Amino acid sequence: MIIPNLTEAKKRTSKEVLVKTNEYIMENELKKIGQGKKYFVKTYGCQMNEHDGENIKAILEDMSFTEVGTMEEADLILLNTCAIRENAHNKVFGYLGRIKHLKEERPNIITGICGCMAQEEVVVEEIMKKYKWLDFVFGTHNIHKLPQILSTAIVRKQQEIEVMSVEGDIVENIPVKRASKYKAWINIMYGCDKFCTYCIVPYTRGKQRSRHPEYILEEVRQLKKEGYKEITLLGQNVNAYGKDLNIDYKMEDLLEDVAKTKIERIRFVTSHPWDFTDDMINKISKYPNIMPYIHLPLQSGSNKILKLMGRRYTKETYLELFQKLKQKLPYSSITTDIIVGFPGETQEDFEDTLDIVNTCKFDSAFTFIFSPRVGTPAAKMKDDVPEDEKRKRLQRLNQLVNQYSNEANQKYFNKIVPVLIEGYSEKDSKYLMGYTDTMKLVNVKGDDSVIGQIVNVRITDVKTWSMNGEIIQ
Ligand code: 5AD
Ligand code: SF4
């Protein structure tokens, strides 16, 4: 048993990051463990976690398990969790209640949790006390050890916990079962060293480790060969890509080399305003296959709060960058993340946030109420904004954000835009759905033949969250 340790998770040393190309090992006897058995993996959280879920599924299939769509049908249930806010935690604990019932009915099913919550010391302590029936727990650093962890849990019939609190290495040979045949996620870096005071990610995912460009480019070329149209380069802070490598190679170089593979669409998330260089902007404007879409988290419009958050920029420098982006990439859409109710946020600080939203008129924004995370500096600050005030602020902010989303979308009316058609709309299967280059959701009528294609669509109807259009050939 290896349990997580917050003090270790906080550490950053100059220890060299090892690139391990043979670390994922599947012994022959483990390959048959899942024969005739079904698995269900539920993933919460960000795209990084979704992508981890794709790795986990591929590993389980290497062990001969077959995927099913509901936990009721499954012999193995795994929750791939997120720790970013309290409600992410609550969802998982709620779901565990349901799994417990199933386990009581069918004691032979195997149940586990992994992901960011599993990296938290407090969560694992709770699991050991209150969720003794869970069979296994592993973290974000040892996904490649799943076959061994799972087999130990099955053989020993006792709770197997293996969560490493380490700065982390890079494992290059983990298989992947991609959710889409047309668009793919590619990790370009792991972890984060920014340590924004509210954020748990640096503790759950370790130090910043950039993947070597050769591995990334090889993955892009392979995906292109397989017919993929779109890739998204993933990292907690992609602009800082390469800073930890011992070669002189930065995000702008990676963007250029990926663009030169001629894959049709390149996206990247998430950008931190701190490391967004002019060179990066130039590369985005130079290559038409780098999509004009930038997610640029603001978090707050108050300099006092930004300082308390440890964001390393002011509202003035954020605005400067924003305006530069709009000037050099006029067609681009820019979205953001905003937190309200951070400790010490006064009405005036909140008005500063509204001000900047009024200036930037974001295409859309993800908005959150501050949620204290155990172990982060902000969790120790006095959480002095009353709950109902936080909710009021969120509501006011959302109203404004939605107004600008709608305004931004109205500009698309009657325009012709390229859309990568991904499949049928989940909401209404009469429609196909896809995204524009600027990441706007579009529903169109059409037949199967356009799925996986980038088609020109005339926008006929515009709403706050999506648009309707017709394919023009
Ligand atoms: N409370 C509320 N929101 C948070 N985020 C990250 N940590 C917290 C927290 N403790 C938000 C930030 C980030 C997004 C992914 O989640 O806005 O950009
Ligand atoms: Fe959630 Fe952050 Fe972990 Fe992603 S990295 S799963 S957002 S806690």
Side-chain angles (χ1 to χ4, degrees):
M1 181 184 302
I2 308 169
I3 57 172
N5 176 294
L6 181 61
T7 315
E8 287 299 316
K10 280 183 181 172
K11 260 194 204 157
R12 291 295 184 270
T13 65
S14 53
K15 189 177 152 278
E16 189 193 351
V17 173
L18 301 175
V19 179
K20 299 173 171 171
T21 51
N22 293 308
E23 201 69 1
Y24 169 66
I25 299 167
M26 176 73 72
E27 291 91 352
N28 273 336
E29 66 268 25
L30 302 187
K31 279 191 187 158
K32 294 189 185 127
I33 284 190
Q35 247 168 23
K37 296 204 174 97
K38 300 179 186 116
Y39 77 87
F40 176 69
V41 175
K42 185 164 176 66
T43 294
Y44 298 85
C46 61
Q47 285 138 320
M48 182 88 53
N49 222 34
E50 287 286 343
H51 189 39
D52 285 351
E54 294 184 330
N55 290 132
I56 289 164
K57 288 180 181 183
I59 297 175
L60 292 174
E61 297 195 6
D62 266 5
M63 299 174 81
S64 306
F65 286 95
T66 313
E67 185 171 16
V68 284
T70 65
M71 66 171 181
E72 284 75 16
E73 303 164 77
D75 304 290
L76 167 72
I77 303 169
L78 178 56
L79 299 188
N80 182 24
T81 62
C82 169
I84 199 95
R85 282 172 295 273
E86 188 60 33
N87 57 0
H89 268 221
N90 293 345
K91 274 189 212 156
V92 168
F93 282 121
Y95 213 85
L96 283 179
R98 288 174 57 196
I99 297 177
K100 187 175 179 214
H101 280 300
L102 280 182
K103 182 100 176 164
E104 280 161 0
E105 282 165 25
R106 292 160 51 213
N108 286 337
I109 57 174
I110 304 287
T111 56
I113 85 159
C114 63
C116 285
M117 268 173 77
Q119 288 292 145
E120 290 183 275
E121 196 178 305
V122 281
V123 169
V124 171
E125 276 167 7
E126 193 168 344
I127 287 173
M128 287 162 67
K129 266 193 232 132
K130 296 196 201 147
Y131 299 85
K132 293 197 173 85
W133 51 268
L134 262 176
D135 299 291
F136 66 109
V137 182
F138 64 98
T140 59
H141 292 290
N142 57 349
I143 291 172
H144 60 285
K145 290 278 187 216
L146 174 56
Q148 292 75 21
I149 295 167
L150 190 52
S151 88
T152 310
I154 293 171
V155 173
R156 287 219 203 118
K157 292 196 169 26
Q158 67 182 40
Q159 194 173 61
E160 175 65 6
I161 300 179
E162 204 178 307
V163 182
M164 342 283 291
S165 295
V166 287
E167 292 174 273
D169 291 317
I170 295 180
V171 181
E172 280 295 349
N173 69 329
I174 309 182
V176 58
K177 182 193 179 194
R178 299 199 185 266
S180 161
K181 288 199 287 246
Y182 318 111
K183 57 178 205 174
W185 289 305
I186 300 184
N187 281 323
I188 62 167
M189 62 206 296
Y190 302 94
C192 181
D193 288 344
K194 283 280 187 281
F195 287 101
C196 300
T197 59
Y198 51 82
C199 187
I200 195 142
V201 175
Y203 315 100
T204 62
R205 295 211 167 240
K207 84 166 162 192
Q208 176 177 315
R209 290 106 67 205
S210 298
R211 278 179 85 195
H212 213 275
E214 282 147 39
Y215 290 106
I216 299 169
L217 291 168
E218 186 45 41
E219 199 170 335
V220 179
R221 285 188 208 108
Q222 183 57 33
L223 286 165
K224 183 167 183 276
K225 224 183 272 170
E226 289 171 24
Y228 279 82
K229 295 282 185 332
E230 178 177 305
I231 52 140
T232 303
L233 307 175
L234 290 181
Q236 296 300 339
N237 174 19
V238 290
N239 311 7
Y241 172 80
K243 289 192 167 181
D244 53 303
L245 290 172
N246 52 9
I247 50 172
D248 183 18
Y249 193 92
K250 299 287 171 323
M251 186 58 181
E252 47 267 30
D253 304 308
L254 183 67
L255 280 175
E256 177 145 54
D257 283 342
V258 174
K260 282 181 181 164
T261 65
K262 299 211 158 52
I263 187 118
E264 282 177 72
R265 284 182 158 194
I266 301 156
R267 300 189 189 280
F268 54 93
V269 281
T270 290
S271 295
H272 187 294
W274 175 253
D275 299 300
F276 219 117
T277 62
D278 287 355
D279 278 346
M280 263 186 75
I281 303 175
N282 292 339
K283 294 288 148 68
I284 301 167
S285 80
K286 177 171 172 192
Y287 291 97
N289 57 345
I290 304 178
M291 293 299 99
Y293 163 69
I294 293 153
H295 186 62
L296 194 68
L298 164 69
Q299 311 302 4
S300 169
S302 148
N303 284 342
K304 180 189 96 191
I305 298 297
L306 285 171
K307 195 153 193 208
L308 286 172
M309 288 176 162
R311 289 292 284 176
R312 312 178 195 200
Y313 55 83
T314 59
K315 70 172 174 199
E316 289 79 14
T317 52
Y318 183 94
L319 274 174
E320 210 178 291
L321 173 63
F322 184 92
Q323 268 139 13
K324 198 179 337 176
L325 286 166
K326 277 286 166 195
Q327 191 197 349
K328 295 206 173 158
L329 308 165
Y331 173 66
S332 64
S333 67
I334 302 182
T335 57
T336 199
D337 291 341
I338 298 170
I339 299 175
V340 299
F342 190 81
E345 186 188 70
T346 60
Q347 191 58 32
E348 211 183 325
D349 295 317
F350 175 60
E351 298 291 338
D352 281 349
T353 298
L354 297 180
D355 265 1
I356 205 164
V357 170
N358 278 320
T359 309
C360 295
K361 304 180 170 55
F362 295 105
D363 282 79
S364 82
F366 298 99
T367 56
F368 312 102
I369 288 178
F370 167 71
S371 170
R373 314 311 302 131
V374 176
T376 61
K380 295 192 195 91
M381 298 176 192
K382 194 163 172 256
D383 191 3
D384 53 0
V385 185
E387 278 311 309
D388 65 328
E389 181 57 35
K390 288 180 188 169
R391 273 193 294 274
K392 270 190 214 147
R393 287 182 192 172
L394 185 72
Q395 229 176 17
R396 245 186 99 190
L397 176 63
N398 283 344
Q399 254 174 9
L400 197 62
V401 159
N402 294 346
Q403 179 197 320
Y404 288 122
S405 291
N406 194 292
E407 275 179 27
N409 285 357
Q410 293 301 335
K411 292 188 193 133
Y412 284 70
F413 182 69
N414 221 7
K415 294 259 161 36
I416 296 169
V417 285
V419 177
L420 169 56
I421 305 291
E422 294 181 14
Y424 286 97
S425 160
E426 270 177 31
K427 279 201 184 139
D428 184 347
S429 59
K430 285 199 297 294
Y431 286 90
L432 296 164
M433 55 71 68
Y435 288 88
T436 64
D437 47 357
T438 51
M439 203 66 177
K440 306 277 181 186
L441 175 61
V442 178
N443 296 304
V444 294
K445 285 229 169 99
D447 59 50
D448 296 18
S449 65
V450 289
I451 296 177
Q453 308 286 326
I454 297 171
V455 293
N456 284 327
V457 171
R458 183 190 299 282
I459 301 300
T460 52
D461 185 19
V462 176
K463 302 174 218 165
T464 304
W465 316 113
S466 67
M467 306 174 190
N468 292 338
E470 55 195 22
I471 297 174
I472 54 164
Q473 292 297 0

